[in-house]
Every structure is written in C-alpha cells, then in structure tokens.
Amino acid sequence: MAGTRRRGVSQVALGLLTCVATLVVAAPGADAVPPPPPNPSDGDIAAAAGQVDDGVNEVGALINDVASVAQQIEQLDSVVATKREAVNKALVDLQTARDTADAAASTAASAQGALTASGAAVTQARNNFDTFAVQVYESPGSNTMVSYLSGANPSQAMDRAQVLGAASKSADEALDGMRRAQVERANADSAARAAKQSADSAAAVAESRRSEAENAVAEATAAVDAENAQREALTQQRDVAQQRLDAARQHVAGLQGQREAYQAWDQQRRDEEIAAAASAAAAAVRAAGDLAARERAQELNDGQRSHTELDDSPPPHRSLTRPTRPAGSAAQLVETAVDRAMSQLGVTYAWGGGNADGPTKGIRDHGVADRYGDYKKVGFDCSGLMMYAFAGVGISLPHYSGYQYQMGTRVPVAQRARGDMLFWGRSGSEHVALYLGDGKMIEAPESGDVVKISAVRENGMMPNAVRLIT
C-alpha cells in the first residue's frame, strides 16, 4: 500500500513539475516590473533633435499659463466666500427683525387688553352710583339705605343728609379715581397704538429683510454656480496645460532618454523573469522531491470531507495517526511551505479550489466565479493555496481566510517575515497571501487569473500578519 501511494505521489509530483515548467516562465514576474516606457525609433530621435529649442520655449509659456490659472482660481474662492457670508448676514438681520415685530405685537395686545378692562370698570362704577342716586331721591321710603337715611324730624334728616352727602362725596372721589385710571388707560391705549404702529413697521422691515435675504441667497447661489462652472473650466484648462507641459518636458528631455529607459526596463524584465522562473523551477523540484512533505499533506487530507460536500454522508476513512511537526528549524520549515506554494505558480485560479493535497475543481458562487467558469476548472483560490503550502509541514488549515486569520501567532504587519500570511478585509475575510520577503508575496488573486507573485498591496491590508511557524 505504501509503495502504491509513493508511486502515485511521484506521478503527481512529476505532473506538477511539468506544469510549472510550462507556465512559470510567463506567470511569476507579471507584476514584478512596471509597464514598459515608450521605445522611440532612430528616426523619431533624429526628428526630435531639432525641436528641443521650441519645446523649451513652450514649456516656459505653459508654466506661466498654469500659474495664471491657479491665481484666478484663488480669486474665485475669495469671491465665493464673501458672498456666502453676505447671505449669513441677511439671514441674521431677518431673524432680528422678526423678533422685534413679535415683541411689539405682544406689547400692543397687552395694552389693548388693559384699556378694555379699565373702561369696563369705570362704566360699571358709574352705573352703580347712578342706581344709588336714583334710589335716594325717587324711592325714599323703599327698603334700602335711603330708608335708613330718612329722619323723623328735620334735625335727624339733616344729619342723615350729611351722611348721604359724605357717601356721595366718597362715590365722587372713587369715580374721579376711576376716571384718572381711565385716562391712564387711554394713555396706555395711545402707547399701544404707537407700539402697534412700531410692530407694523418692524413687520414690514422684517418682510423686506426676508425678501432681501432670499434675493441674496438666490444671487449668491447663482454666483457660486457660475463661479464653480468657471472654476471647472479653468481647472480643465489647467489640466490640459499640465498635460502639455508634461509632454513638452518629456520632449525636451529627449527621446534618447526614453530609449535608454526602455532598454533598462527590458533588461530588468528579462532578468526578473529568468530569476523568477529559476526560483519557481527550483521550488518545484524541491517540492516534488520532498516525499515526506507530500506524505504529511496527504495524511492531512485523508479523512477530511471536502468543504464543497454539503450532504450528510459519512466522512471518508481517517488515519489513526496524525502528522506531527517535522524535524528541522523554523527557517527550514518556512522554506518547505514557500516551495510548495511556489511550485503552483501558473496554476489556474478556481474559486473554492485547492486542498492540502493539491489543486481541486472549483465550485459555483452564482456570481463572478460562475461567469469565469471556475466550477469547471481545477485550481486554487487564495485560502486553498495556503492549505496546500502549510500541509507539507503538518499544519492543517480551514478553507476560509477569515478562520486562517484566527490561527497561529499574530505579529504587526510592519514586522512581517518570509512565510507569514497576509490578510485583507475585516478579520481577514476577503483575501490571504503568503509573504516572500522584499515586498513580494505569492497569491491566488481572483477569477480569470493564475497563482502568481505580486507586490504587496498595503491598501486594505489587516494590521497583523499571521505566523504559523515559530
């Protein structure tokens, strides 16, 4: 049985090595060098030589154009700011006028109410006194106070008349006091009318201020819109001028410099492709020859139900023994994991694909992966590639980057080292890659792509890396 397994593993390894040898030359260095610069012909260089002086003059003119545009934009900013503050002032004045009108209206209402109450009191007092006087002189025998004041003899009647006179005088004084109060209320009414006039005037002013404020807002808004349109036009002119300026500077720099830059780029590209191909080929050879690592990975994979199997069927037979951490230093184990990942350079991306034993068929996602046909391809996704890399050193990983982020030891991403896993998205839920050092990583990036070496993308990366081998 063991011999059969080893023969099968060797055949798989030979197939992987052949695949890598075919794909690695084109794949690994795809992101290692920048896009190619222009490569002018000899005729282009010769024709440009006579245009250098004109280019220098054009550059100077364009610099002045850009400076002039920038100055106009600054002036427009100042105008817009002033008009916006004018709107604020009009609104504040409007609110003040409205407050004044409200206060004047309240004063007028209070004065009118007091005058009405005072007039009613005077009228009631006068009516009461008139009734009293009529009773005195028209009904002396009635059962009233007048009866009490009537005497049995002239002396007694005189005394009682004096009392009646005193009462009349008291009533007169009371009426006088009420009349004075009425005069005061009349004065208050006059003040109330003045306050009402003031309120009406304040209301008119408030209405005028409101109209002024609305007009100021409309005017400022129109001015802002016009100035923004002018700003946009000036900005476009500036951008065009800057593009012409950049083109002129490139022209002045000379096409010969572009030729040299292209030659340097092309040499860098070829050197990096050769180095990457050699590194990948060597890693494939080491991975293919590391029988112990392959057997550890296969043992990890034995008995594991694929994460794409969703039914309730029993899991496959699981080995009674589980691989333990192999012998060797941490650095050696890191290289084993890196070699296994590098041996898969150029393998197709397949969402849901890959396990501890190698690439597998992808699965459906009813979205992007389906449009690329990942469910019909054999390959790796990002977490599947990590499973394969670390299975060779006896580390079993779940097929989900978010769970992989919860394993091992977290270290600040600034302290990342070769062999650490890098993650993107909240809690590592979006993507994972294996760090190689020197700002490079190996990853299975996305549908339509292949396993490849990329520059580390700092944007969106989690603040911690995960170190599984210590």
Side-chain angles (χ1 to χ4, degrees):
M1 184 68 177
T4 301
R5 173 181 287 185
R6 287 189 176 89
R7 285 194 298 274
V9 170
S10 298
Q11 291 172 353
V12 172
L14 181 58
L16 287 175
L17 182 58
T18 302
C19 178
V20 170
T22 302
L23 297 173
V24 76
V25 172
D31 290 343
V33 294
N39 183 26
S41 66
D42 293 340
D44 292 335
I45 295 174
Q51 301 175 2
V52 172
D53 291 340
D54 293 340
V56 171
N57 294 332
E58 184 179 9
V59 168
L62 290 174
I63 289 176
N64 291 335
D65 289 345
V66 172
S68 176
V69 168
Q71 185 177 5
Q72 291 180 54
I73 290 176
E74 289 180 1
Q75 293 173 351
L76 286 175
D77 284 338
S78 178
V79 171
V80 170
T82 299
K83 291 191 175 182
R84 283 177 176 164
E85 284 306 304
V87 172
N88 286 335
K89 178 180 182 300
L91 292 174
V92 171
D93 292 344
L94 171 61
Q95 187 60 51
T96 300
R98 283 175 173 168
D99 291 343
T100 301
D102 291 343
S106 177
T107 300
S110 297
Q112 185 61 42
L115 178 61
T116 301
S118 177
V122 171
T123 300
Q124 183 62 43
R126 184 183 292 112
N127 291 338
N128 290 342
F129 183 77
D130 289 345
T131 300
F132 173 75
V134 168
Q135 289 176 349
V136 169
Y137 291 103
E138 291 183 357
S139 303
S142 63
N143 188 21
T144 63
M145 184 178 179
V146 175
S147 298
Y148 170 78
L149 293 175
S150 299
N153 54 60
S155 176
Q156 189 178 19
M158 182 62 70
D159 292 339
R160 292 183 178 181
Q162 290 178 351
V163 172
L164 179 61
S168 176
K169 181 179 180 181
S170 177
D172 288 341
E173 290 176 351
L175 283 174
D176 288 341
M178 296 182 74
R179 289 192 184 96
R180 285 194 298 272
Q182 189 176 24
V183 170
E184 292 175 358
R185 298 304 183 189
N187 291 336
D189 181 53
S190 177
R193 287 196 299 271
K196 183 63 171 62
Q197 292 176 353
S198 176
D200 291 342
S201 176
V205 171
E207 182 62 24
S208 176
R209 295 283 173 80
R210 181 189 65 81
S211 179
E212 291 175 2
E214 290 179 349
N215 292 337
V217 170
E219 180 183 354
T221 300
V224 169
D225 291 342
E227 287 159 2
N228 279 334
Q230 187 176 3
R231 177 202 292 269
E232 181 64 24
L234 289 173
T235 300
Q236 291 178 0
Q237 293 177 20
R238 181 191 62 191
D239 292 342
V240 170
Q242 187 63 51
Q243 292 173 3
R244 291 166 54 200
L245 176 60
D246 293 341
R249 283 174 173 167
Q250 291 177 0
H251 195 70
V252 171
L255 297 180
Q256 183 60 50
Q258 294 180 11
R259 168 70 64 81
E260 294 173 357
Y262 177 84
Q263 291 173 343
W265 171 88
D266 190 52
Q267 185 61 47
Q268 178 190 3
R269 176 186 60 79
R270 285 185 279 119
D271 291 346
E272 292 199 10
E273 285 183 352
I274 292 171
S279 177
V285 170
R286 288 192 298 270
D290 194 342
L291 180 61
R294 294 202 309 274
E295 289 186 342
R296 282 191 294 272
Q298 194 167 32
E299 288 177 5
L300 283 177
N301 202 54
D302 286 347
Q304 293 284 346
R305 179 188 285 116
S306 170
H307 78 301
T308 63
E309 294 179 7
L310 304 180
D311 56 26
D312 294 329
S313 60
H317 175 70
R318 184 185 299 273
S319 173
L320 296 179
T321 60
R322 305 301 295 165
T324 58
R325 171 170 171 153
S329 66
Q332 291 171 332
L333 298 180
V334 165
E335 293 308 313
T336 298
V338 170
D339 282 347
R340 285 175 65 83
M342 291 284 289
S343 71
Q344 303 304 306
L345 280 168
V347 173
T348 300
Y349 180 96
W351 186 75
N355 59 24
D357 207 30
T360 65
K361 198 171 184 179
I363 61 177
R364 289 183 177 274
D365 72 342
H366 305 290
V368 175
D370 285 4
R371 289 199 295 272
Y372 280 90
D374 287 9
Y375 61 92
K376 297 184 291 187
K377 299 176 181 178
V378 174
F380 290 99
D381 65 6
C382 62
S383 53
L385 181 63
M386 298 301 104
M387 292 175 67
Y388 179 77
F390 287 99
V393 294
I395 298 176
S396 178
L397 295 176
H399 202 144
Y400 170 50
S401 61
Y403 289 154
Q404 292 178 359
Y405 185 67
Q406 299 173 16
M407 304 183 70
T409 302
R410 293 186 186 180
V411 296
V413 73
Q415 300 175 17
R416 60 184 180 260
R418 183 175 173 86
D420 290 345
M421 290 192 295
L422 307 177
F423 293 85
W424 287 259
R426 185 173 183 178
S427 299
S429 59
E430 293 182 9
H431 188 55
V432 60
L434 184 64
Y435 185 57
L436 301 177
D438 296 327
K440 302 292 176 60
M441 62 185 184
I442 184 169
E443 62 175 342
E446 59 185 352
S447 296
D449 213 329
V450 297
V451 176
K452 64 183 182 181
I453 297 173
S454 305
V456 172
R457 296 182 295 276
E458 302 288 344
N459 186 33
M461 187 165 59
M462 290 297 291
N464 294 312
V466 170
R467 185 167 297 164
L468 297 178
I469 302 173
T470 56

